[in-house]
Amino acid sequence: MHFPELPDRVAEVRQRIAAAVARGGHGQRVTLIAVTKTFGVEAVQAAWDVGIHDVGENRVQEALPKIDAASVPVRWHLIGHLQRNKARAADSFELVHSMDSARLADALHARGLARGRAIDVLLQVNVVGEASKAGWAPESVPAEAERLTGLAGVRVRGVMAMAPLDASEAVLRTTFHGARAARTVLEAAGHPAAELSMGMSSDYEIAVEEGATMVRLGTVLFGSRAATAAGHAHD
Ligand SMILES: *Cc1c(COP(=O)(O)O)cnc(C)c1O
């Protein structure tokens, strides 16, 4: 599959990100992560060809063969749920955005110790308490931030958050602001937690205004995902 519109789309997205940084006033650098889920390895190549060096996948089973097949040295990001008994799969990724429970944190910690190098993770925070989403409630972040200081097998690099589908602008801002506050808590506990992974195709400009340092974009780059793949499109 070809992505003839990708260069123009990336150029526009980069402009919009720059404008949102200026409006938001946080002065941050923003990493654009191309989400290639449901697309083949050609999407990875196409992203690389337009200067994108970070690629996101939400399912380990889909990602691992793609990582093997890719012939360009992108950084791979795991952005979807990881089962505790698959913690070893974290070895294939630069950053696990989706550390969404204390038990997964323990499993990743154990894996990091076993391999002799800490695993870089983001704490997934469920800011507005959606029942359908995993992650820490904001009020539980301080205690977990303290607990994680004792887990040498993981290195907490920041926070990941997702806004509810079809959220109003007010709810988007509440979500992203809450994620930023959680990052402050992690940093105060001593974690090197500079990253804020938030913003998808429908809400990345607001996320960047609110301080996002990583945006995870699929649809706006590659077009809508095939209907047959919709079953896990929002995993
Ligand atoms: C699919 C997915 C994205 C990208 O979604 P788009 O709306 O297509 O940009 C971002 N983050 C996560 C966690 C995803 O699963």
Side-chain angles (χ1 to χ4, degrees), residues 24-46:
H26 294 282
Q28 79 275 32
R29 286 198 54 194
V30 180
T31 300
L32 200 177
I33 299 172
V35 177
T36 49
K37 67 187 184 194
T38 77
F39 294 104
V41 71
E42 321 81 61
V44 179
Q45 178 73 50

Side-chain angles (χ1 to χ4, degrees), residues 129-145:
E130 283 183 282
S132 63
K133 289 202 177 96
W136 278 269
E139 57 273 19
S140 64
V141 171
E144 186 65 4

Side-chain angles (χ1 to χ4, degrees), residues 42-216:
E42 321 81 61
V44 179
Q45 178 73 50
W48 178 265
D49 289 343
V50 295
I52 294 175
H53 297 158
D54 294 86
V55 168
E57 285 282 331
N58 71 329
R59 295 167 76 240
V60 167
Q61 312 91 291
E62 180 182 346
L64 295 183
K66 222 177 275 185
I67 292 171
D68 277 346
S71 55
V72 286
V74 294
R75 290 182 286 264
W76 291 90
H77 297 255
L78 182 62
I79 62 173
H81 179 66
L82 177 62
Q83 288 174 285
R84 275 176 296 135
N85 61 3
K86 303 244 172 68
R88 193 189 192 98
D91 293 359
S92 298
F93 298 90
E94 189 86 6
L95 181 64
V96 176
H97 294 228
S98 42
M99 190 176 79
D100 58 9
S101 72
R103 291 185 342 150
L104 178 59
D106 291 341
L108 290 169
H109 161 62
R111 176 62 199 153
L113 291 186
R115 75 178 193 180
R117 185 166 51 86
I119 296 173
D120 282 316
V121 298
L122 302 180
L123 194 77
Q124 186 173 335
V125 177
N126 187 355
V127 178
V128 295
E130 283 183 282
S132 63
K133 289 202 177 96
W136 278 269
E139 57 273 19
S140 64
V141 171
E144 186 65 4
E146 280 306 320
R147 192 185 79 91
L148 287 167
T149 60
L151 303 190
V154 291
R155 191 159 56 150
V156 183
R157 307 300 309 275
V159 167
M160 188 271 240
M162 273 180 283
L165 274 173
D166 302 321
S168 66
E169 183 177 335
V171 171
L172 291 175
R173 292 200 187 273
T174 301
T175 303
F176 298 143
H177 191 272
R180 201 168 80 229
R183 181 182 65 173
T184 303
V185 171
L186 291 172
E187 288 183 316
H191 297 286
E195 304 294 346
L196 259 185
S197 170
M198 55 191 198
M200 303 170 44
S201 290
S202 59
D203 57 20
Y204 71 95
E205 290 167 278
I206 291 173
V208 170
E209 287 177 18
E210 296 292 337
T213 66
M214 296 178 158
V215 293
R216 310 177 308 268

